[in-house]
Amino acid sequence: MSRRPPGWLSLLALLLVATNLRPAIASISPVALDIRSDLGWSEVRVGMLTTLPVLCMGLAAPLVPRVARRLGLPVTMLGSLVLIGVALGLRLAGSVPGVLVVTALVAGIGIAGASGLLPWLVRDRFPGRIGAVGGAWTATMMGGAAVSGALTVPLAGVTGSWQAALASWGLLAVAAGIVWVPAGLRAESLAAPDAAPHAARPAPASASAPDDTDHRLPWRNPSAWALTGLLALNAFAFYGLLAWLAPSFGDRGWSATESGLLLGAFTIVQVGAALVLPALGQRLPERRWLLAALVTASVTTLVWIGLAPAAGTVVALLLLGLGLGGTFAIGLSLLSEYAVSGGASGRLTAMAFLVTYVVGALGPLTLGALLQSTGSWTAVYAAVAVACAGQLLCVPFLRRGIRIS
């Protein structure tokens, strides 16, 4: 019988997987103007390259627990990494009609598989350190977005094409797969516990699949909806900005490199927020005040950037990253904290991600259509501010002690 891998190996594999959850999406924005120019695409069509993977992430989310029960979590996770790596590698042929669209779809399916399993892995492998480990993988995920957002343009300069720069991020999937193989294949049990109904005793919780036999998503649970609403509105804002923040500054006179670095600044501060704020929230007597403050910071800075983009730009983007990133990181940690078991975390995550990423997918598309119809970046940032403000309606319901099965 294979043994559960050591904690350090599980953590390393988890963090490497997390680095692959955003570069396929975040690397598009810095070269969006190049894509639009070289391929003759409209703003809406370029926005679709961010919309499609996020939409796939949402639509595929409910399937992830089912696939993990059938194939085992190690194989499901490895397959997800393969899909991400292949999709990014194919972007070398990005000028071929249809290739970028196909890679966006395939990457989205791979990201759905990997991201849907991470909260459950945290709940299963690190039950006593949910806040810290959840914050660590969220920070690593955001770090992947920051690095890919900041370095895609320089990579395009080194390699001589935006296609090669986009494809280079597939190497992260290769690295994660190499570490995941020993981490995953040394899991304690590779078959779903409910696959052996005649066993003498229940199989232990493990990293293979959800650890109970209730496969229903918690659609009727109000707390699950409050958490889902918080994450969904945050995703609308985040993915909308991921697609259009760099082009907005490019249209306002910043160079492509500078716009990419601004996107990197926006995302890199989210790394610190994810590392610190979930653990801080667990220590505070009333975490909801922290969430309300973070949402307010997001709304305020969005209005600031929309009306006065040249005034304290870096400071505004850092505050915006703190607000959006902190809210999202705390929300992700609650997917593990609120669940009564690993399987419950998988189901809650599936429900939350289905809604979150479908709504998030509307961000790039909606903002692209708004920009195309109004020609106003102020209108774009105002729409994002309204979406962020809606998170305040969800915060009061996210009290401590909630248990979702």
Side-chain angles (χ1 to χ4, degrees):
M1 177 182 293
S2 56
R3 296 179 296 117
R4 181 179 291 265
W8 69 266
L9 185 60
S10 294
L11 181 60
L12 177 61
L14 185 149
L15 296 180
L16 284 174
V17 169
T19 62
N20 286 275
L21 301 184
R22 292 297 177 267
I25 303 169
S27 58
I28 291 292
S29 180
V31 293
L33 296 180
D34 293 327
I35 295 173
R36 191 168 66 182
S37 173
D38 289 354
L39 303 183
W41 286 12
S42 67
E43 289 88 348
V44 172
R45 194 171 180 183
V46 173
M48 287 291 291
L49 295 180
T50 302
T51 292
L52 288 175
V54 180
L55 182 62
C56 285
M57 289 158 63
L59 296 178
L63 302 178
V64 174
R66 298 181 185 181
V67 175
R69 281 193 298 271
R70 180 175 294 272
L71 301 180
L73 189 146
V75 174
T76 304
M77 183 69 82
L78 183 60
S80 299
L81 292 171
V82 169
L83 289 176
I84 295 170
V86 169
L88 287 170
L90 286 175
R91 287 183 174 176
L92 276 171
S95 297
V96 176
V99 167
L100 288 181
V101 173
V102 170
T103 62
L105 293 170
V106 174
I109 295 171
I111 295 169
S115 62
L117 296 173
L118 284 179
W120 179 77
L121 276 173
V122 173
R123 178 67 176 77
D124 181 76
R125 296 280 182 91
F126 305 96
R129 293 182 287 165
I130 287 175
V133 176
W137 83 255
T138 307
T140 306
M141 175 184 70
M142 294 173 175
V147 172
S148 59
L151 297 185
T152 296
V153 171
L155 281 173
V158 171
T159 61
S161 73
W162 55 264
Q163 296 93 331
L166 294 177
S168 66
W169 299 111
L171 295 174
L172 291 177
V174 175
I178 289 172
V179 176
W180 177 257
V181 168
L185 295 182
R186 290 178 60 185
E188 192 171 291
S189 172
L190 299 181
D194 51 49
H198 303 296
R201 59 187 175 85
S206 68
S208 60
D211 54 1
D212 52 42
T213 59
D214 186 354
H215 302 163
R216 295 169 298 178
L217 304 187
W219 293 114
R220 297 183 180 181
N221 189 299
S223 298
W225 273 110
L227 179 54
T228 296
L230 181 85
L231 292 171
L233 291 169
N234 186 282
F236 180 94
F238 175 75
Y239 287 107
L241 291 171
L242 202 61
W244 293 112
L245 189 146
S248 77
F249 285 101
D251 277 356
R252 292 168 169 183
W254 299 70
S255 70
T257 300
E258 291 169 337
S259 297
L261 290 174
L262 289 175
L263 177 63
F266 163 66
T267 50
I268 195 66
V269 72
Q270 297 179 47
V271 176
L275 284 171
V276 174
L277 294 179
L280 174 62
Q282 286 190 331
R283 292 187 175 93
L284 293 176
E286 184 48 84
R287 180 171 48 201
R288 288 176 293 186
W289 286 112
L290 175 60
L291 279 170
L294 292 170
V295 172
T296 301
S298 299
V299 174
T300 301
T301 49
L302 284 164
V303 174
W304 175 357
I305 296 171
L307 295 177
T313 303
V314 175
V315 173
L317 288 174
L318 292 178
L319 289 175
L320 178 58
L322 178 68
L324 282 177
T327 303
F328 191 66
I330 292 174
L332 287 182
S333 72
L334 296 182
L335 293 174
S336 299
E337 178 183 322
Y338 282 178
V340 299
S341 67
S345 179
R347 293 189 299 275
L348 175 60
T349 300
M351 172 188 163
F353 281 7
L354 169 59
V355 178
T356 291
Y357 291 129
V358 169
V359 172
L362 296 175
L365 187 61
T366 301
L367 299 184
L370 183 62
L371 175 64
Q372 192 165 304
S373 62
T374 67
S376 170
W377 287 110
T378 299
V380 168
Y381 281 98
V384 181
V386 171
C388 280
Q391 294 175 100
L392 291 172
L393 300 176
C394 305
V395 170
F397 300 97
L398 301 178
R399 66 184 187 280
R400 293 187 182 278
I402 292 172
R403 307 300 287 164
I404 299 174
S405 59

